[in-house]
Amino acid sequence: MKIQRLNEALASKIAAGEVIERPASAVKELVENSLDAKSESIAVELEQGGIRCIVVRDNGEGMDDDDLLVCVERHATSKITREPDLDRIATLGFRGEALASIAAVSRMRIISRPRGTEEAHEVRVVAQAVDGPFPAARAPGTTVEARELFFNLPARARFLGTPRTEFLHANRAIRRLALARPAVSWSLTHGGKSVLEAPQVGNLLDRIGQLYGAEVARAMIPVDVSREDISVSGFISRPDLKRGNRRDQLFCVNGRPVSDRGLSYVLASAYHGILRRGSYPLAVICIDLPLEQVEVNVHPRKEEIRFAEPRRVQETLNRALQGALASRYVVSPLLAPHKAQPPVERTKASISPLELRAKAGIRRTAHEAEKVRVGNERRVIGQLLRTYLLVERSDGLEIVDQHIAHERILFERLRKQSQCGEVARQQFLLPVRVELSFESAALVASSREQLERVGIILEEFGGGTFLFREYPSLLAEAQSRHGFQELAERIAALLEQGEEVRDVLFDRLLGELACGAAIKAGARMPLEEQQALVDQLMQLENPYTCPHGRRIIFTVPKEDLDRRFQRT
Ligand code: ADP
Ligand code: MG
C-alpha cells in the first residue's frame, strides 16, 4: 500500500496555500469578512508589506466566545447552511476557509465583541493549536491579527516579493474593495505611516476622488443603464485620461470585485478607435443582477465568476459604455464649470458667407453654421506655424493640431458611412498604380472584400502591381496621388498583423485612410476653413484624441496664463 491519508495539519497547509497566496490575499479575506459583518469602518495596519504583521479592525457585528472558537475551523461559516444557498450568495465569503487558512500559516489572534453586548473575548491560534477564549476588552467589532505569514511554510515564504511589492499588492486589494463600498470608512497604514484615509462618502464619484484625486474624478464619465434585470452603473475615463495598464479597471458584480475576461474585453473594445493600443481607460463599473444569475463558487479566491448568460451581461455593458462615450460629457468637459459670459465677438471673416473650399470635406451647411453662430464658444484666432490652430475660449486658449483634427473628422464620417451600409466611392479616371512585395500582394489580394467595405476597389495587375480604381469620395480629392504607394504598404502591414478582431482591423483601416487624406501639418488654411474645422471637430463624439490615440486639443487654462503673468 503506497497511498496514505495526509494528516489534518498538512492537509490544512496545502488548502491554505490555495486561498492565501501572499499577504494581499490574507488582507483581502479579512477585509471581506469585515464587510460581510456589516462594518461601517475598517482599519488595516501592515508591517513589512504584511509579511511581518497584518491587523484588520472593524466595527461590525462581532463574534461571541463560542463563535470565536469555531470560526478558525475549516468549513466553518455563518453565511450559508444548505446547498440551495450556494445558488444565491449575497456575501463576499461563503466557503468558511479564510480564517482557517490564515491560521494554518501564521500566528493569529482574534479579539471580538458582538454588537449590543458588554463582553469581548480573544482566541489565539499558532500552528493550528487554538488557545482561549480569554476575556478581553474591545469596543463592539472584531480585530484580527496575523503575524509572520508562512513562518511554517518556507516553500511559500521564499516566493514572496519584497515588502514593498507585497505592500503594493495589499494596497491594491484594499483600494478595490474601497471602490466597491463607498459607504464604508477605510484607513490603511504601512509601518506606522498612514497611506490611505477614505472617510465614508455618499457616492462612487466621491470615492474615486478620494483614491485617485479630484482631477481624475472630474475626468470621469458616468455610466448608467438598466435593462431587464441587469443594471450597469459607474464611471469610465474620458479619452484624454488614460493609463499604461489595466490596473485601474474594476468590475464589481453584485458588490464583489471580480476579474472577468469577457467584461474586460467589452471595455477594451468600447475604446477601440479612441485610445491607442497600449493605453487603457480607468473604469469602475458595478453590475447588479439577480444572485442566481451569477456563479461565484468558481475558485477558492472568489475573484472569478460565471454568468448564467454572459452574452446578455456583455451586451448590456456594451450598450452602457457606448452610451457613456457618446454622451455630451465627452465633448464638453465637466472641467471648468462655465461662468455665464457674453459671447465672444466673432471676426468679420467668420461671419461672412461661407464660401469654403469644397476640398477635403471641410464645409459647413447653413444649418451647421447657424448653430455655431448661436452657441459659439470657440473663436479661431489663426494658425500657428501652419500646424496648430489657436482657439480663444472664455476660459482660456485651446491649441488644436490641424492634421489630427481633420483626420478625426474624416475618420468619423467614413465610419458613419460604412456603418450605414455603403461608403460612397469615386472612380479614378487614371487609376493609381502601386507596387507591393510578393507577400503583401497576396495579403491585399485576399482581402478585397474588407477593402471594399471601406470603399477601396483595387485591381490586381500581376507581379505585385495593383491599381486603385475606386476610392471613398469623401477622401478622393484630398488624398495626394503619390501618397497611395505608402498607403498601400501600410494597409498591407495592417493586414499582415492579422487582427483576430475584424472590427479593430476595420477601424484601423479607416484610420489609415483618414490620415492619408487629412490636411497636412505645414499646410496653410484660410481662416474660415480653420473655424469650420474646429466647429466640426467639436461636434464629434470624441474631439480629444485621434484614432491612433494622439492628442488633438491642448488646453491652456486662463488661470494658468494669469498665474504666469502674476495676475492672480
Ligand atoms: P467565510 O467568510 O467564508 O464564512 P471565514 O473563514 O472567512 O469564512 O470566516 C468564518 C466565519 O467567521 C464567518 O462566516 C463569520 O461568521 C465569522 N467572522 C469572520 N470574520 C469576522 C468579522 N470580522 N466579524 C464578524 N464575524 C466574522
Ligand atoms: Mg471570509
Side-chain angles (χ1 to χ4, degrees):
M1 174 107 170
K2 56 186 176 182
I3 304 177
Q4 289 182 26
R5 282 205 185 78
L6 297 178
N7 66 43
E8 174 63 23
L10 184 51
S12 303
K13 272 194 196 176
I14 292 173
E18 258 194 336
V19 184
I20 307 301
E21 188 194 356
R22 59 188 341 155
S25 10
V27 169
K28 168 184 166 289
E29 292 294 338
L30 294 176
V31 166
E32 285 185 355
N33 280 346
S34 298
L35 289 173
D36 283 344
K38 303 192 175 67
S39 306
E40 284 150 7
S41 163
I42 300 175
V44 182
E45 293 163 25
L46 304 175
E47 271 168 48
Q48 297 205 344
I51 303 169
R52 175 176 293 170
C53 182
I54 300 169
V55 181
V56 176
R57 284 175 225 282
D58 67 42
N59 63 353
E61 284 168 341
M63 284 175 278
D64 64 19
D65 45 353
D66 292 336
D67 281 339
L68 269 176
L69 278 178
V70 185
C71 73
V72 291
E73 284 175 21
R74 262 214 283 167
H75 313 303
T77 179
S78 57
K79 298 172 194 174
I80 57 174
T81 48
R82 300 166 315 128
E83 198 181 317
D85 295 343
L86 263 186
D87 295 331
R88 302 189 41 83
I89 289 172
T91 46
L92 295 166
F94 57 90
R95 298 172 61 103
E97 292 184 315
L99 290 182
S101 299
I102 300 171
V105 294
S106 73
R107 303 179 202 274
M108 189 156 99
R109 229 156 60 100
I110 309 178
I111 304 165
S112 192
R113 172 172 149 195
R115 273 183 192 160
T117 68
E118 298 302 318
E119 281 173 26
H121 289 91
E122 169 175 347
V123 290
R124 293 177 207 149
V125 195
V126 177
Q128 298 172 49
V130 184
D131 217 3
F134 313 109
R138 201 201 179 284
T142 304
T143 303
V144 181
E145 178 187 290
R147 293 187 165 273
E148 292 175 67
L149 203 63
F150 303 129
F151 78 98
N152 54 354
L153 211 60
R156 180 58 65 93
R158 270 199 298 279
F159 285 100
L160 288 178
T162 60
R164 175 85 199 144
T165 307
E166 294 307 329
F167 163 71
L168 290 176
H169 282 282
N171 186 32
R172 180 156 182 255
I174 290 171
R175 291 167 65 100
R176 282 163 67 86
L177 283 160
L179 286 168
R181 304 294 161 97
V184 173
S185 292
W186 298 82
S187 81
L188 170 64
T189 65
H190 187 211
K193 275 197 221 115
S194 167
V195 262
L196 173 73
E197 268 306 329
Q200 120 180 89
V201 281
N203 60 62
L204 176 56
L205 192 60
D206 288 344
R207 180 51 50 88
I208 292 174
Q210 287 175 329
L211 298 191
Y212 291 106
E215 278 294 298
V216 167
R218 255 174 289 170
M220 299 299 274
I221 313 166
V223 178
D224 200 357
V225 158
S226 290
R227 236 171 107 204
E228 295 160 16
D229 50 5
I230 304 175
S231 94
V232 176
S233 65
F235 293 88
I236 56 178
S237 54
R238 251 179 16 207
D240 50 343
L241 173 71
K242 54 187 177 258
R243 295 286 203 248
N245 58 53
R246 284 197 192 80
R247 258 173 250 150
D248 291 316
Q249 302 181 349
L250 174 66
F251 291 99
C252 290
V253 173
N254 291 339
R256 175 190 308 279
V258 299
S259 347
D260 183 86
R261 293 184 63 175
L263 299 180
S264 302
Y265 179 81
V266 173
L267 177 62
S269 24
Y271 279 80
H272 274 319
I274 294 179
L275 286 185
R276 192 205 317 242
R277 223 180 237 237
S279 293
Y280 303 91
L282 283 82
V284 184
I285 296 169
C286 307
I287 301 177
D288 289 286
L289 69 175
L291 294 175
E292 56 275 9
Q293 294 271 323
V294 190
E295 161 84 292
V296 290
N297 189 19
V298 178
H299 187 275
R301 287 201 286 275
K302 301 165 291 177
E303 278 165 347
E304 277 165 49
I305 48 162
R306 294 223 176 93
F307 292 110
E309 297 169 82
R311 283 310 292 263
R312 210 157 64 85
V313 178
Q314 287 165 13
E315 275 161 23
T316 310
L317 173 62
N318 185 46
R319 175 179 290 208
L321 296 176
Q322 300 294 348
L325 284 170
S327 69
R328 53 180 297 278
Y329 293 105
V330 180
V331 177
S332 88
L334 295 167
L335 274 178
H338 286 161
K339 293 159 216 114
Q341 278 190 15
V344 188
E345 277 250 334
R346 294 178 55 88
T347 63
K348 244 206 215 138
S350 54
I351 306 177
S352 71
L354 296 154
E355 287 289 332
L356 297 177
R357 277 195 283 163
K359 183 194 162 210
I362 303 179
R363 192 191 263 154
R364 251 191 316 198
T365 63
H367 173 71
E368 277 176 328
E370 187 53 37
K371 240 181 19 200
V372 168
R373 206 165 321 161
V374 173
N376 179 57
E377 295 168 77
R378 289 182 161 81
R379 184 177 69 95
V380 177
I381 305 168
Q383 226 180 348
L384 176 72
L385 305 171
R386 292 190 186 171
T387 301
Y388 303 109
L389 308 181
L390 302 180
V391 185
E392 182 189 42
R393 299 206 55 189
S394 55
D395 54 1
L397 173 73
E398 281 177 346
I399 306 173
V400 175
D401 186 312
Q402 66 190 42
H403 168 70
I404 308 178
H406 193 204
E407 181 186 352
R408 183 78 217 175
I409 294 168
L410 294 176
F411 173 80
E412 290 280 354
R413 289 190 176 169
L414 200 55
R415 180 149 74 167
K416 205 163 273 167
Q417 280 191 5
S418 64
Q419 274 166 354
C420 11
E422 253 211 298
V423 176
R425 294 196 301 259
Q426 185 169 321
Q427 200 172 357
F428 289 122
L429 286 177
L430 276 179
V432 187
R433 212 183 139 103
V434 294
E435 313 271 355
L436 291 173
S437 72
F438 182 71
E439 302 92 306
S440 302
L443 268 172
V444 169
S446 63
S447 309
R448 285 244 190 71
E449 246 186 66
Q450 266 157 308
L451 293 174
E452 197 174 332
R453 269 179 67 208
V454 298
I456 297 176
I457 306 283
L458 274 176
E459 185 183 316
E460 201 173 4
F461 211 64
T465 302
F466 285 84
L467 297 179
F468 275 90
R469 286 243 168 242
E470 291 179 45
Y471 203 67
S473 327
L474 186 60
L475 312 175
E477 283 190 57
Q479 170 71 47
S480 81
R481 289 208 140 218
H482 48 256
F484 276 109
Q485 175 68 36
E486 198 197 330
L487 182 68
E489 281 163 14
R490 300 219 317 245
I491 290 176
L494 260 183
L495 295 172
E496 194 175 344
Q497 286 169 18
E499 300 273 2
E500 336 81 281
V501 196
R502 287 193 63 191
D503 286 350
V504 179
L505 175 64
F506 189 65
D507 269 7
R508 296 188 66 198
L509 268 176
L510 294 181
E512 289 291 349
L513 296 180
C515 181
I519 286 179
K520 300 286 174 290
R524 196 204 295 264
M525 295 168 76
L527 190 60
E528 310 90 282
E529 211 170 290
Q530 299 173 27
Q531 182 72 48
L533 183 70
V534 168
D535 293 342
Q536 287 174 11
L537 177 67
M538 294 324 294
Q539 285 171 17
L540 298 184
E541 284 172 12
N542 166 29
Y544 290 97
T545 49
C546 87
H548 307 316
R550 275 161 71 193
R551 187 204 279 278
I552 299 177
I553 303 179
F554 178 80
T555 311
V556 185
K558 180 170 182 299
E559 301 91 88
D560 279 11
L561 292 171
D562 289 347
R563 203 173 323 119
R564 282 177 192 273
F565 292 105
Q566 288 146 2
R567 231 174 223 284
T568 38

